[in-house]
Amino acid sequence: AAGVIQSPRHLIKEKRETATLKCYPIPRHDTVYWYQQGPGQDPQFLISFYEKMQSDKGSIPDRFSAQQFSDYHSELNMSSLELGDSALYFCASSLMGLAGLQETQYFGPGTRLLVL
Amino acid sequence: DAKTTQPPSMDCAEGRAANLPCNHSTISGNEYVYWYRQIHSQGPQYIIHGLKNNETNEMASLIITEDRKSSTLILPHATLRDTAVYYCIPSGYALNFGKGTSLLVTP
């Protein structure tokens, strides 16, 4: 079965640079979520989109923005990168169920970002 | 969001059943209990979820107490590849991973 695809898998940036992470959800999934996992930390929810609209917001820094496109893929844009942004970034996708509840989230393999 | 309490670590011998407990006493009536696991630095992997009935799939069984304040994930025959951090997450939407249980399966 097709899974969530994330690109790139690895990214190295300098401080103050920008980065764009991409997420391609499972086919037919209409909702995407972004999570950040720092070294030795548990994943933390950043933001989510349903049908191209922001649906929930977690601990996402103001320097980060994200959007979902008409083909449901999503991009996380990170500006003025800081050393502390070095982390694994996971994307997950799900489908809005008939009862208006989100169904199970399935995660991609992640993008490992290193800021030097 | 409901708070969860899981033991920080557990050991299990290969081939034996691994029983991972979770307390979620503040869970809301419409929140499912989801279990995910994360094998070192890989994307979290969905295992199973339930609302109030016990559930079983090809990976595991989930036992939820009648008052829904706790649940137990059962891996019936643990293998070395089941070594991972296991997260119990009451969820209606965004997942709050918490600390999880680090399960070590030993030969």
Side-chain angles (χ1 to χ4, degrees):
Chain A
V4 176
I5 296 171
Q6 291 187 246
S7 68
R9 294 293 310 278
H10 302 272
L11 190 59
I12 300 175
K13 290 286 185 179
E14 300 277 342
K15 279 196 310 184
R16 293 180 287 279
E17 285 191 321
T18 61
T20 298
L21 309 186
K22 297 184 178 183
C23 170
Y24 297 87
I26 291 171
R28 294 194 307 112
H29 281 194
D30 50 21
T31 307
V32 294
Y33 312 76
W34 287 97
Y35 294 81
Q36 177 191 56
Q37 186 173 25
Q41 308 274 322
D42 302 295
Q44 297 292 317
F45 170 69
L46 293 178
I47 196 166
S48 62
F49 290 86
Y50 166 64
E51 288 287 348
K52 295 167 284 182
M53 300 288 289
Q54 180 182 310
S55 51
D56 200 1
K57 191 173 181 180
S59 51
I60 184 169
D62 292 341
R63 298 176 290 106
F64 294 6
S65 65
Q67 58 182 325
Q68 185 181 30
F69 296 85
S70 56
D71 64 351
Y72 296 111
H73 94 273
S74 178
E75 296 183 2
L76 178 66
N77 300 294
M78 311 159 71
S79 62
S80 303
L81 286 169
E82 301 174 357
L83 297 180
D85 296 328
S86 295
L88 277 165
Y89 291 83
F90 293 108
C91 173
S93 74
S94 70
L95 179 66
M96 175 70 79
L98 293 176
L101 297 175
Q102 286 295 340
E103 298 185 352
T104 300
Q105 294 183 37
Y106 294 92
F107 283 77
T111 293
R112 183 177 294 277
L113 172 66
L114 178 61
V115 181
L116 300 175
Chain B
D1 288 342
K3 302 292 184 188
T4 60
T5 303
Q6 297 180 252
S9 64
M10 294 181 65
D11 292 346
C12 178
E14 190 177 19
R16 304 298 292 267
N19 297 281
L20 292 92
C22 178
N23 288 322
H24 35 76
S25 57
T26 61
I27 193 170
S28 301
N30 62 350
E31 282 186 310
Y32 283 78
V33 179
Y34 279 84
W35 283 82
Y36 282 81
R37 71 182 182 184
Q38 186 175 30
I39 298 170
H40 182 63
S41 295
Q42 295 182 21
Q45 179 187 23
Y46 165 75
I47 303 172
I48 198 167
H49 73 285
L51 187 61
K52 49 185 175 181
N53 296 323
N54 297 338
E55 302 286 347
T56 296
N57 63 19
E58 65 278 4
M59 289 184 68
S61 294
L62 175 61
I63 308 297
I64 304 173
T65 58
E66 194 169 343
D67 62 8
R68 299 206 337 117
K69 292 185 177 181
S70 66
S71 60
T72 300
L73 178 75
I74 302 171
L75 307 178
H77 305 287
T79 71
L80 299 179
R81 288 180 292 180
D82 292 323
T83 291
V85 178
Y86 287 76
Y87 296 96
C88 157
I89 309 173
S91 175
Y93 199 69
L95 299 176
N96 180 3
F97 276 83
K99 291 299 178 187
T101 295
S102 179
L103 175 68
L104 175 64
V105 181
T106 56

